[in-house]
Amino acid sequence: MTTTAHPRFAAAVEELGLGELLPRVRSFPEATRTAAEAAAAIGCGLSQICKSLVFAADGVPVLVLMDGASRVDVERVREELGAGKVSRADAGVVRETTGYAIGGVPPFGHRTRTRVLADRSLLAHDVVWAAAGTPYTVFPIGPGELVAHAGATLVDVREQRA
């Protein structure tokens, strides 16, 4: 099994002083672009996957980190940001903002500085797995460390199940 993170992600991790993460990157022959694919490949629970989702809040990109078993409540994101309108960003905006394609967006190491919200549900685990810049690579990290290095604000923005 190779451990090849995206070069931009590898460089960002080194800049953040997190070089120790790179040997932990795991690469899979099958895509891990969805939370379900990643959890199956890793052999962990769906909620241990950290999804990095880009939304547009009044046209400004914002990254939301969410556990893999939950969905983002866009209305709660809108309220959290005090925005007029929040919608899912399209693939072009995601790549332009982060430097990565959908399915491989890591929680940090992006091309541009964006606001980051992290759902509190991620803290329920000792370790979560996030994309390492490609749809085939993931890495493990403690959720507190993930939130800190992403510069995220902890929020409650997941959809509440009825």
Side-chain angles (χ1 to χ4, degrees):
M1 184 181 306
T2 59
T3 58
T4 311
H6 188 286
R8 176 181 291 113
F9 178 71
V13 164
E14 291 289 353
E15 282 176 32
L16 288 168
L18 302 174
E20 76 278 1
L21 285 181
L22 293 176
R24 292 190 250 156
V25 170
R26 292 179 53 190
S27 183
F28 296 94
E30 302 298 318
T32 54
R33 72 172 42 99
T34 68
E37 289 170 345
I42 295 161
C44 71
L46 190 57
S47 65
Q48 286 179 271
I49 301 300
C50 173
K51 300 187 287 193
S52 298
L53 306 168
V54 180
F55 290 84
D58 294 334
V60 178
V62 61
L63 179 70
V64 177
L65 304 177
M66 177 61 68
D67 78 82
S70 300
R71 293 175 53 95
V72 173
D73 183 329
V74 177
E75 180 60 21
R76 291 177 115 190
V77 171
R78 188 191 68 70
E79 290 169 5
E80 188 66 44
L81 297 172
K85 180 179 184 219
V86 173
S87 59
R88 205 62 188 262
D90 68 31
V93 170
V94 171
R95 186 177 286 279
E96 183 182 310
T97 301
T98 67
Y100 306 97
I102 291 174
V105 177
F108 44 80
H110 299 168
R111 176 181 288 154
T112 62
R113 191 99 185 113
T114 55
R115 181 139 181 217
V116 183
L117 302 178
D119 191 79
R120 208 172 301 288
S121 61
L122 291 167
L123 300 179
H125 303 284
D126 292 333
V127 172
V128 292
W129 293 81
T134 78
Y136 298 91
T137 55
V138 293
F139 69 98
I141 188 170
E145 194 181 359
L146 171 99
V147 169
H149 292 301
T153 302
L154 275 176
V155 294
D156 292 303
V157 293
R158 68 182 168 153
E159 278 185 0
Q160 298 303 307
R161 298 196 173 100

